[in-house]
Amino acid sequence: MSTWEDTVSAALVGVRTRPVTTDDVDPVIGAHLPTTSTDPVVTTLTIAALTAVAHQSLGPESVVAEPIPPAPADPRPPMSALAAAYVHRALDLTPRLADWCLNLLGRSTVAPPSTLLPALLARTSREVDIRETVARIVGPRGHWLAQYAPELGAVLPTATSAAQLDDSAWTHGQPAERRGYLAALRERDPHAALDLLGQTWTAETGDDRELLITALRPNLSPYDEAFLEAALDDRRKAVRTAAAGLLVTLAGSVLQDRLFHAAASCLHVGRTRFRGQHIAITLPAEPDVALARDGIALKAPRGAGIGAFVLSQLISRVPPHRWEAHFSMTPDTIVGAIDPAEAGLVAALCTAAVTHRDRRWATALLAHPAATPDIIAVADETHVVDAFPTLPGALKVPALRAYPGVWPDALCRSAVRMLQAELSGSRFITPPAVQIIALMATGLPATDGWRQSVEAMRESAPIATTQFATLSEALRIRSVLEKELT
């Protein structure tokens, strides 16, 4: 037995039964034992104390520190210190400028410094849309940090190539893993993904069917139509809704034809003495219950008529280009023939133009006073700029927000006039003015001339001093980063 074990044993059973001697004590401990005391209790306690200190100073034997692998090298040239400082500020100044900065970094070919990686990675925990961009920005060192610093909460997408597909993820994985496998297979071989899902479809739970059917959205084709038509009769409402939503976007689907014919029976071209041609509406008195199978809700919200509610759903799902052949009219002519009071019809057409990404129809609908803001993102950009001064007031701020990139000079001037009108004669800054100034942070060109214009507006509008100061800083940041990162 060791000295430590002898000491522990003596402490348990007593020194008279199990005496402890100093013969085998470590010399270092023995040098600190009293030489005058002959009391075995004192000797035992002293040895125990000194041995315990020596034993504990060695640390737990079970703890073995293993160094983590070193961070991999980033082959990209490093970002300059100046650019890194301005990126830090851009990410913190305003959400719109932060998005602009991330897009710029995503296109850049430089490697951010290690001090910038935590801030970039932490943003992915709450912003789903930026994860792929951030994954490109942070590079191999960022992926390494995300793995070994879980406190950042980083969520980076992992690319699954065809060679990496593991069949066990489909056969034994959790629902999210199975959907991920199916989505990756859908990208590689759309027909094979549908065939695989069809093999297990009847055995899937309702929750799993609802999750898995959404993986079919990419690469949708007529090959999927029979499966989706059958899913319209699924026991689970969410599955039926998802199937109908996919068939609505499938060009030439039978469901599209059914919805179009149901809607067309309610619309026809009329003629009045004063307005000439106009689109006349005949609301369905008793909508066909079969429409429910195609995803049409047959119970109207409180205060809405069932006929108008059903017709609005039908028109919002029909590809708007089909009305051109039906009426033998162009989009501009059809929109011009819709009465200004028919806001429901116009809103449904706007939804259809957005759903089917029909630029011609979105552009034509801009001319109607009841047009909804969501068409701005689909409409022709040049037309939006040209028509901006005459757009309805409700569309102007959305038009500024939806325009991609830096505004053309004409749009900049229109935005400035709109802002000056909002600030003129007001004692307090209005919400539209706040929105316009915020949009100018990425819309105005980051030139010395526009920065001087902002300073002039700042001096003439003391009620917006803070907002103009932020705008001026945003333009300065953009000017520096555009030079450093492009």
Side-chain angles (χ1 to χ4, degrees), residues 123-141:
R123 298 179 76 92
T124 64
S125 65
R126 60 185 184 276
E127 299 181 50
V128 177
D129 294 342
I130 69 170
R131 289 172 182 172
E132 291 188 6
T133 301
V134 171
R136 293 195 303 271
I137 295 170
V138 298
R141 293 176 67 86

Side-chain angles (χ1 to χ4, degrees), residues 313-325:
Q313 294 177 78
L314 291 171
I315 294 173
S316 67
R317 287 161 169 79
V318 172
H321 70 82
R322 299 196 64 167
W323 299 113
E324 298 172 43

Side-chain angles (χ1 to χ4, degrees), residues 141-419:
R141 293 176 67 86
H143 285 267
W144 172 86
L145 182 60
Q147 180 181 359
Y148 292 105
E151 64 273 14
L152 294 175
V155 181
L156 298 180
T158 56
T160 303
S161 66
Q164 294 174 324
L165 290 179
D166 183 359
D167 292 347
S168 64
W170 174 256
T171 55
H172 299 96
Q174 295 298 314
E177 295 173 317
R178 299 183 69 225
R179 194 215 180 270
Y181 177 94
L182 188 64
L185 181 60
R186 181 73 171 181
E187 292 292 338
R188 182 187 71 179
D189 189 341
H191 291 185
L194 179 68
D195 294 342
L196 179 64
L197 181 59
Q199 292 170 13
T200 63
W201 183 253
T202 57
E204 303 287 355
T205 65
D207 287 340
D208 288 354
R209 294 197 306 278
E210 179 181 347
L211 177 66
L212 294 173
I213 196 172
T214 61
L216 300 180
R217 182 170 296 279
N219 299 316
L220 200 63
S221 74
Y223 188 81
D224 306 306
E225 185 170 8
F227 177 86
L228 294 174
E229 273 286 337
L232 293 176
D233 297 314
D234 196 272
R235 298 186 303 274
R236 194 177 187 88
K237 180 181 179 181
V239 175
R240 300 194 301 271
T241 301
L246 292 174
L247 287 169
V248 160
T249 61
L250 179 58
S253 68
V254 177
L255 181 139
Q256 273 193 5
D257 288 338
R258 293 195 296 264
L259 298 181
F260 171 73
H261 290 302
S265 66
C266 301
L267 301 181
H268 61 276
V269 177
R271 184 175 293 275
T272 64
R273 181 177 180 182
F274 300 102
R275 292 192 65 244
Q277 285 186 324
H278 74 283
I279 304 300
I281 300 176
T282 303
L283 296 178
E286 295 184 6
D288 187 351
V289 294
L291 292 175
R293 181 176 181 271
D294 292 334
I296 302 298
L298 300 182
K299 184 177 180 180
R302 184 182 298 274
I306 183 61
F309 178 62
V310 168
L311 181 59
S312 177
Q313 294 177 78
L314 291 171
I315 294 173
S316 67
R317 287 161 169 79
V318 172
H321 70 82
R322 299 196 64 167
W323 299 113
E324 298 172 43
H326 179 71
F327 292 126
S328 298
M329 298 163 65
T330 66
D332 291 324
T333 307
I334 295 173
V335 171
I338 300 176
D339 191 281
E342 295 292 353
L345 174 58
V346 175
L349 287 170
C350 289
T351 300
V354 173
T355 299
H356 297 281
R357 310 304 295 177
D358 194 316
R359 172 165 290 196
R360 293 171 59 250
W361 269 85
T363 303
L365 285 162
L366 282 176
H368 200 282
T372 57
D374 52 351
I375 60 169
I376 294 292
V378 184
D380 179 74
E381 297 164 7
T382 303
H383 186 85
V384 171
V385 175
D386 294 340
F388 186 86
T390 59
L391 287 178
L395 294 185
K396 288 191 173 182
V397 171
L400 296 176
R401 181 180 294 111
Y403 193 92
V406 179
W407 300 335
D409 189 59
L411 189 57
C412 290
R413 293 196 302 270
S414 295
V416 169
R417 287 193 293 269
M418 183 179 172
L419 176 61

